[in-house]
Amino acid sequence: MALNYFETKRARIEIIPMIDIMFFLLVFFIMITLHMIPSTGVASKMPKSSTTTALEPPKVLVNVDDEGDITVDGQKLTAEALTVRLKAQGDPDKVVVTIAGEKTTSLQSMMKVMDACRQAGVTQIGLAAHAVEGAD
């Protein structure tokens, strides 16, 4: 009978808990990064409304400045170019467009953008506005 009291045991590294921790860290950093990326757009002084409601995030955010210039993702576009870009998005029933205009943007400029959206077949069009303080 041999006694193996002094025999050294080989160390085992358990890898499964380490993999679990790495996946947790990966998910954590992805979630944090998604909240750190601001939605692209141009800062504007939007009009106020007492009946604002929260909309789902738009697929396309169109900014119209007080001179009537149309900007999408930092690119200035004409109304015709906006129509072409929206048609390229795919199924127009799934495209959600939000139009953000300045307080001083003319109604005609906003209508020009809405017409361009409608010509592309888009039916889900929203106008961005700030909620009035104290309104529900």
Side-chain angles (χ1 to χ4, degrees):
M1 175 158 101
L3 297 175
N4 295 331
Y5 290 117
F6 298 108
E7 194 174 299
T8 59
K9 293 184 178 180
R10 293 183 55 174
R12 288 181 49 187
I13 298 174
E14 294 294 331
I15 244 175
I16 302 221
M18 187 168 43
I19 292 172
D20 291 343
I21 290 172
M22 294 307 291
F23 277 125
F24 175 76
L25 289 173
L26 178 67
V27 169
F28 176 75
F29 284 120
I30 287 173
M31 295 301 289
I32 293 298
T33 304
L34 289 176
H35 289 293
M36 288 175 54
I37 299 172
S39 63
T40 57
V42 177
S44 61
K45 295 179 182 175
M46 291 185 278
K48 296 186 180 192
S49 172
S50 61
T51 60
T52 58
T53 58
L55 298 173
E56 63 183 67
K59 196 166 193 179
V60 179
L61 178 62
V62 180
N63 293 297
V64 184
D65 64 12
D66 54 351
E67 296 174 5
D69 293 332
I70 302 168
T71 308
V72 178
D73 293 333
Q75 294 180 323
K76 285 193 176 185
L77 301 173
T78 63
E80 294 79 20
L82 177 62
T83 301
V84 170
R85 184 173 180 149
L86 291 174
K87 283 182 180 178
Q89 292 281 326
D91 185 11
D93 291 331
K94 294 183 180 178
V95 176
V96 179
V97 175
T98 298
I99 303 170
E102 299 277 337
K103 277 185 184 179
T104 56
T105 301
S106 70
L107 180 60
Q108 185 60 48
S109 298
M110 298 295 275
M111 290 306 296
K112 180 173 71 170
V113 173
M114 286 184 194
D115 287 342
C117 294
R118 299 284 297 186
Q119 286 176 356
V122 176
T123 57
Q124 298 182 42
I125 303 170
L127 294 176
H130 284 295
V132 175
E133 299 297 322
D136 290 334

